Amino acid sequence: MSTETKWIVGTGIGIVTAILTTGVGLAALMVSLIVGVNTRIVGVNTRIDDVNTRIDDVRGELRDFRTDVNARMEGFDTRLRNVEIAFGKVDQRLLIIERFVLPTPDQPAE
């Protein structure tokens, strides 16, 4: 083999080695990026799950609050109904008293 042939073969081997090394380096970089992205995605999914849990907690608290408000409103309705009945009794008694105590207006002359 001549020196030129050895030089060409050596250069070819060097170029192939450089290409393979670059490919392996890029592959390693891609793998590390993919692993990093997957780790971040898992972290984001965990945070989303935490937010969903908090939202469910708030919904439960609002449901309990609504139940409490509804119970109080029913209590107010009952009390108001009792007051209306009592006023009706007072009104009826007042009408009876007015009939017997107050004089009736004079009848117009015909």
Side-chain angles (χ1 to χ4, degrees), residues 33-65:
L33 287 176
I34 290 171
V35 168
V37 168
N38 283 340
T39 303
R40 287 185 181 166
I41 289 173
V42 168
V44 169
N45 286 340
T46 302
R47 293 176 79 182
I48 289 172
D49 291 341
D50 291 344
V51 169
N52 285 338
T53 301
R54 290 179 191 169
I55 289 172
D56 290 341
D57 292 344
V58 169
R59 284 181 178 169
E61 290 173 7
L62 285 175
R63 191 177 310 112
D64 294 342
F65 179 74

Side-chain angles (χ1 to χ4, degrees), residues 8-26:
I8 290 173
V9 170
T11 303
I13 291 174
I15 289 174
V16 170
T17 303
I19 291 173
L20 288 176
T21 304
T22 303
V24 169
L26 288 175

Side-chain angles (χ1 to χ4, degrees), residues 92-106:
Q92 187 178 18
R93 288 179 183 169
L94 183 60
L95 286 174
I96 292 172
I97 291 172
E98 285 177 347
R99 281 188 208 147
F100 289 110
V101 174
L102 295 177
T104 57
D106 291 334

